[in-house]
Amino acid sequence: MVIPDDLYNYTCSDKGLLLPLINEYTWSIGTRATLYIIGLLYCFMGVAIIADIFMCSIEKITSKTRKIVLSTSNEDEPEVVEVKVWNDTVANLTLMALGSSAPEILLSIIEVVGNGFQVGQLGPGTIVGSAAFNLLIITAVCILAIPEGEVSSIKCIKVFGTTAFFSIFAYIWLLIILVWITPDQVDLWEALLTFLLFPICVILAYIADKDFCTKKHEEKDKQLELGFTAVPERDLVINGKLNKAALVDFMREVRNYPGLTDEDAAVLAASKLVDQQPHSRMWYRIGAVRDYTGGRKTRPTMSAKLHEVYTTLEEHGEKLDGVPLLARPVSPSLRLTKSIVEFHAATCSVSENVGKFSVLVKRHGYLGNIAIVRVESIDGTANVAEDYIKVNEILQFLPNETEKEIQVEIVNDNQWEPDEVFFLKLSIPEETENVVLGRTAIMEVTILDDDEPGVIQFKKRGLLVTESAGSAAIPIIRKQGADGEVSVKWRTLDKTAFNNKDYIGGYGEVTFKHTEVEINLEIPIMNDMDPEKDEHFEVELYDPSGGASLGSITRTMVTITNDDDFNSVVDRVMKMTNANIDAIKVHSETWASQFRDAMNVNGGDVENAETSDYVMHFFTFGWKVLFAFVPPPSIWGGYLCFFSSLVMIGLLTAVIGDLAGIFGCLVGIPDSITAITLVAAGTSLPDLFASRTAAKSEKYADNAIGNVTGSNSVNVFLGLGLPWLIAAVYWFVKGELFIVPAGSLGFSVACYTVVSFISIALLMARRFLPVFGNAELGGPMPLRYVCATLLFVLWAAYIILSSLQALNVIKP
């Protein structure tokens, strides 16, 4: 049998360090190219997942704290506060920069070592291409991500200025050593200085941080040590522990919203706690990776209604004695000075073919002024335009006017759909005074196919309220129909609690307007300030009218408990909140929890998993289970996980380098083009998602774009400085020169240097010119689109020019 000479030396068979694993001689070029590009995309997901674990170890390492003991009046119980060991700037430029750039840096090192200590095109090209993607594309996306009418600026501008200088100087330095000092070669001293620029950059950034960013904070720390400042009582976390007093206040706010359970309060409290904590860019990157791989989320998942309640709690910052007026029970004294506006009902149901229907907004309290509120619609499972017409109206109550109606239109698409929900929300315009929102500031609207008058009953058989609550909100629901106006009478029945002594009862009538399906009956509770046992009374429904009938729950028991019993409920919510917090920690404590998270969609939170979560979990299941064998960050302070995952990233990066190189060879694309496009974008996409989330969530832009310049600097100093130093030492020992052809790399670096200078200048112009909003991100919509478009064009120009030069269309 005659073996062809090229059986083991076929097209592109010598391009990889580890691949191909099997002989591909009989495969067509098209088949091989397709398999290699699929494998490359799949490995991008894998490296994102192992980088997630790598960054969890970094988060564990950099979150280390030390305890400082402060003297107090009680010698037996000194106050202990915890302070972070790692400076944020140093952490961002060292471990966190390594975490986000590890694939690019390791690819460059592996390529040099694997090529016999000769420089390749894939590693350096990926580093320059990633820098362009980070600075231009990520910045453009973040400019557009800020909500309309808002801006976000960099807080530590001195640190940003330092890293921005080094991010441009790093690439100018590459041009100097490759083109002017020693053309097409790198001497040992040049490689050593390139690497040493990394600690120099970190030290100067640290000096800038201490001088300009934390000076005031240091003064506060000194005051704290002297006892001049107090810990904020409203913070849900103090020294890493849940603050019970703040949780009680938060629960009292939450309980004023109808239909929320203790479990809902625990989810809202956990969300509040997450938002109160400072987050690093690493935290956002971990969250971004898990969002698009169907992994365990880094923040609690809320239903549409809970999300709207939480948003409303956050939006209305006006407070009285530290409590938002929106969520505070309206006191009798407040009723004399302020108008109270709310929906007449908490929920309503309408048929899909109803067309337009009316929603009643009522005003009570002080009626002598003009009261202005805004009503707007929020999507739930129903979507604007597809299921209903958007609502965004201003309502103006004239003096002594108590009711207003708004018209809401439902879209009938003549297709069967399950019941769908959207929300109407009341808010107070900034210029409005002497107006507060009542309990029912959010109305839930359900679209269904039903035209019966309905059945009326209590929502629950019993209700627990504290004696100091002020009033009991008893939900009465109308089900199995919501057509027409119906009413039902009610009366209170004394048991161990007595009318006009423990509560103010009697009798009355509740009226459901057309489409309304839930109304709260308010029964004032009297607080006699005396410790006593639990007391209770009943409320009974009778004599419905308008065609409605009574349901199965016509009586409900209201139990008035003292605040000690309320504290037991708080303890229960505290435990549930702590459980929610444990569920969203970025790292796992044990191998068992790692495997449980890896093998279950959303880390086991199946109830809140969406279709996209299942799809991505299916595709990434193999990677998740494989990387679950990495030691968890809880072992040895995270260092074992750090080095283990770094090895994993190195192995996977070597495979990515082979896949990209062979794919480019098969389709005729030079490595330099593959590097600045496909590989650079694939390794930088998690940073794009993370920065976009940080831009939308954070008050300042530091975590969104402030760290981009630092990361780009570190990429050069470590990603090129370290492998070039290793290779330069190797060739120096052999008495030969380390050859680094400027060629495509020099031209690409020159193009990037120009566009990076323009982009930094644009960011500074946005910061200092009022026309842009005096901020790097956000601002007027037309100008933000102009700036984003300019950055996209600069990136496209960089890619096109670098590619044309690599194809010898442009001669350097």
Side-chain angles (χ1 to χ4, degrees):
M1 180 178 179
V2 179
I3 300 177
D5 293 338
D6 58 352
L7 180 59
Y8 300 103
N9 188 25
Y10 49 90
T11 305
C12 304
S13 61
D14 59 342
K15 291 290 291 183
L17 180 65
L18 303 177
L19 300 180
L21 295 177
I22 61 176
N23 193 297
E24 302 171 2
Y25 173 73
T26 60
W27 300 5
S28 68
I29 298 294
T31 300
R32 293 176 65 197
T34 302
L35 292 176
Y36 274 98
I37 188 62
I38 292 174
L40 183 60
L41 296 177
Y42 189 63
C43 285
F44 282 150
M45 290 192 290
V47 80
I49 292 172
I50 186 59
D52 170 9
I53 299 173
F54 181 55
M55 287 180 288
C56 286
S57 69
I58 296 174
E59 192 81 4
K60 178 72 173 179
I61 294 170
T62 57
S63 64
K64 185 178 179 181
T65 60
R66 64 184 178 198
K67 294 183 179 180
I68 297 178
V69 180
L70 306 179
S71 61
T72 63
S73 58
N74 187 348
E75 295 182 358
D76 296 330
E77 296 183 5
E79 183 178 355
V80 179
V81 297
E82 294 186 8
V83 295
K84 295 180 68 174
V85 173
W86 280 78
N87 174 269
D88 288 338
T89 297
V90 174
N92 285 336
L93 288 175
T94 54
L95 290 180
M96 291 189 180
L98 177 60
S100 62
S101 302
E104 297 98 314
I105 295 173
L106 289 176
L107 177 61
S108 182
I109 295 173
I110 291 170
E111 185 182 42
V112 167
V113 176
N115 286 343
F117 297 97
Q118 294 179 351
V119 72
Q121 292 185 338
L122 203 58
T126 299
I127 286 177
V128 182
S130 294
F133 188 94
N134 292 341
L135 184 60
L136 301 172
I137 300 300
I138 290 180
T139 302
V141 170
C142 289
I143 288 174
L144 298 176
I146 303 296
E148 185 175 359
E150 298 182 12
V151 295
S152 179
S153 60
I154 295 173
K155 183 180 180 182
C156 293
I157 190 62
K158 297 297 182 180
V159 173
F160 177 78
T162 303
T163 57
F165 166 77
F166 275 98
S167 70
I168 296 177
F169 173 74
Y171 294 90
I172 294 177
W173 170 248
L174 290 181
L175 289 176
I176 292 174
I177 63 177
L178 291 178
V179 178
W180 292 308
I181 298 181
T182 53
D184 296 327
Q185 70 181 55
V186 174
D187 290 344
L188 178 60
W189 73 269
E190 293 172 329
L192 179 61
L193 182 56
T194 302
F195 178 73
L196 290 179
L197 284 172
F198 168 61
I200 293 173
C201 174
V202 174
I203 292 171
L204 291 179
Y206 175 74
I207 292 173
D209 178 37
K210 301 301 289 184
D211 286 346
F212 302 110
C213 291
T214 62
K215 187 174 181 180
K216 294 182 180 179
H217 297 296
E218 287 178 347
E219 292 173 357
K220 285 186 178 181
D221 291 342
K222 293 177 182 178
Q223 290 179 345
L224 179 63
E225 292 172 7
L226 296 173
F228 292 146
T229 58
V231 178
E233 296 181 358
R234 295 282 295 174
D235 286 348
L236 281 172
V237 173
I238 297 178
N239 291 334
K241 295 182 179 179
L242 198 58
N243 181 7
K244 185 173 181 179
L247 180 62
V248 169
D249 290 339
F250 187 75
M251 278 186 61
R252 283 174 176 155
E253 297 174 23
V254 170
R255 278 174 170 251
N256 288 296
Y257 290 88
L260 296 185
T261 64
D262 291 340
E263 288 77 7
D264 294 333
V267 172
L268 290 170
S271 299
K272 180 74 173 177
L273 185 148
V274 170
D275 287 343
Q276 280 189 349
Q277 300 304 300
H279 298 300
S280 65
R281 178 180 174 84
M282 200 67 58
W283 185 87
Y284 286 105
R285 197 179 192 276
I286 293 170
V289 170
R290 294 184 183 180
D291 283 342
Y292 77 75
T293 58
R296 179 163 55 92
K297 301 299 186 282
T298 55
R299 59 183 308 119
T301 304
M302 293 185 285
S303 65
K305 183 173 183 180
L306 275 185
H307 181 73
E308 289 310 314
V309 170
Y310 185 75
T311 302
T312 306
L313 282 169
E314 292 296 297
E315 283 182 353
H316 298 276
E318 186 182 2
K319 296 183 177 181
L320 182 65
D321 298 333
V323 180
L325 292 175
L326 172 66
R328 187 184 182 92
V330 182
S331 65
S333 60
L334 200 61
R335 294 175 184 271
L336 299 177
T337 59
K338 292 183 179 289
S339 293
I340 303 160
V341 182
E342 60 185 327
F343 289 111
H344 183 260
T347 63
C348 74
S349 297
V350 296
S351 60
E352 194 177 41
N353 61 2
V354 70
K356 293 184 178 181
F357 69 98
S358 299
V359 172
L360 183 64
V361 181
K362 63 179 183 178
R363 176 173 76 151
H364 51 100
Y366 179 68
L367 304 178
N369 63 331
I370 295 177
I372 300 175
V373 295
R374 179 185 296 277
V375 184
E376 54 188 330
S377 57
I378 306 292
D379 282 354
T381 55
N383 297 316
V384 68
E386 296 179 8
D387 301 300
Y388 70 95
I389 303 301
K390 183 177 181 179
V391 177
N392 188 2
E393 296 185 18
I394 295 291
L395 295 184
Q396 179 174 297
F397 289 83
L398 298 176
N400 298 317
E401 190 174 12
T402 59
E403 292 184 352
K404 281 281 189 182
E405 287 188 350
I406 60 169
Q407 295 293 314
V408 181
E409 184 175 354
I410 303 298
V411 177
N412 187 2
D413 55 13
N414 295 319
Q415 294 181 356
W416 181 89
E417 294 175 310
D419 291 352
E420 297 177 307
V421 173
F422 67 96
F423 303 91
L424 297 177
K425 182 177 72 173
L426 290 174
S427 60
I428 303 173
E430 293 184 0
E431 65 276 6
T432 303
E433 298 180 355
N434 298 322
V435 178
V436 296
L437 299 182
R439 291 176 183 264
T440 316
I442 299 175
M443 171 181 268
E444 183 181 59
V445 182
T446 303
I447 304 174
L448 44 77
D449 186 14
D450 204 326
D451 59 357
E452 297 293 329
V455 176
I456 301 175
Q457 65 176 51
F458 287 112
K459 189 174 185 178
K460 299 179 180 179
R461 296 185 180 276
L463 186 70
L464 179 69
V465 296
T466 61
E467 195 174 39
S468 59
S471 63
I474 306 172
I476 303 173
I477 62 173
R478 175 190 189 184
K479 60 182 186 178
Q480 299 177 16
D483 188 57
E485 182 175 307
V486 298
S487 61
V488 66
K489 295 180 180 179
W490 62 270
R491 59 190 169 209
T492 57
L493 304 173
D494 289 349
K495 297 298 180 182
T496 57
F498 297 96
N499 187 21
N500 293 323
K501 178 178 179 293
D502 300 301
Y503 69 96
I504 300 176
Y507 57 89
E509 187 174 40
V510 172
T511 300
F512 288 83
K513 301 293 184 181
H514 177 57
T515 75
E516 292 181 346
V517 294
E518 183 173 335
I519 291 179
N520 287 320
L521 173 62
E522 296 274 350
I523 304 292
I525 303 297
M526 302 179 68
N527 188 357
D528 54 17
M529 305 303 291
D530 293 329
E532 50 196 352
K533 295 181 179 180
D534 292 351
E535 301 166 321
H536 58 272
F537 65 94
E538 282 189 344
V539 183
E540 181 183 26
L541 298 178
Y542 67 100
D543 193 15
S545 61
S549 59
L550 291 177
S552 58
I553 308 177
T554 58
R555 286 193 179 192
T556 189
M557 183 73 72
V558 180
T559 301
I560 306 172
T561 182
N562 58 49
D563 287 333
D564 289 337
D565 292 330
F566 178 74
N567 287 336
S568 67
V569 176
V570 172
D571 290 337
R572 177 170 171 267
V573 174
M574 246 183 118
K575 291 180 180 179
M576 290 190 292
T577 302
N578 281 320
N580 285 326
I581 295 169
D582 290 339
I584 58 175
K585 285 183 178 179
V586 294
H587 65 270
S588 300
E589 296 292 335
T590 64
W591 259 299
S593 61
Q594 280 192 170
F595 277 101
R596 183 173 58 251
D597 291 344
M599 300 183 72
N600 292 282
V601 64
N602 268 10
D605 186 15
V606 179
E607 181 181 350
N608 294 306
E610 300 178 354
T611 303
S612 59
D613 294 322
Y614 282 101
V615 171
M616 294 309 300
H617 179 66
F618 172 78
F619 283 114
T620 58
F621 181 80
W623 290 124
K624 291 178 180 178
V625 174
L626 174 63
F627 297 140
F629 286 97
V630 174
S634 59
I635 300 177
W636 295 356
Y639 287 100
L640 183 59
C641 177
F642 177 88
F643 290 107
S644 300
S645 53
L646 192 61
V647 171
M648 288 283 194
I649 293 174
L651 292 173
L652 193 52
T653 300
V655 175
I656 288 176
D658 286 357
L659 289 168
I662 296 175
F663 171 76
C665 175
L666 290 171
V667 297
I669 300 177
D671 282 349
S672 58
I673 298 179
T674 305
I676 64 174
T677 54
L678 192 60
V679 182
T683 55
S684 299
L685 275 178
D687 291 305
L688 172 64
F689 298 139
S691 293
R692 183 176 181 274
T693 303
K696 296 170 66 176
S697 305
E698 296 263 325
K699 180 179 180 181
Y700 296 103
D702 297 69
N703 277 331
I705 61 169
N707 292 322
V708 167
T709 52
S711 179
N712 287 354
S713 305
V714 173
N715 278 357
V716 172
F717 302 145
L718 279 184
L720 293 182
L722 183 56
W724 285 4
L725 178 60
I726 295 171
V729 169
Y730 174 82
W731 292 110
F732 179 80
V733 171
K734 295 189 68 173
E736 299 182 32
L737 297 175
F738 176 39
I739 304 301
V740 182
S744 297
L745 177 61
F747 188 84
S748 178
V749 169
C751 291
Y752 170 73
T753 303
V754 174
V755 299
S756 65
F757 183 83
I758 296 173
S759 62
I760 295 295
L762 176 64
L763 287 176
M764 292 301 96
R766 289 183 56 84
R767 180 181 182 89
F768 294 107
L769 295 180
V771 68
F772 293 108
N774 289 113
E776 289 84 356
L777 305 182
M781 291 301 294
L783 289 178
R784 71 166 70 178
Y785 277 107
V786 170
C787 294
T789 301
L790 174 60
L791 292 173
F792 279 118
V793 169
L794 288 174
W795 180 75
Y798 160 75
I799 295 294
I800 293 172
L801 291 174
S802 298
S803 300
L804 291 176
Q805 192 279 329
L807 295 171
N808 293 320
V809 176
I810 297 177
K811 302 297 181 180

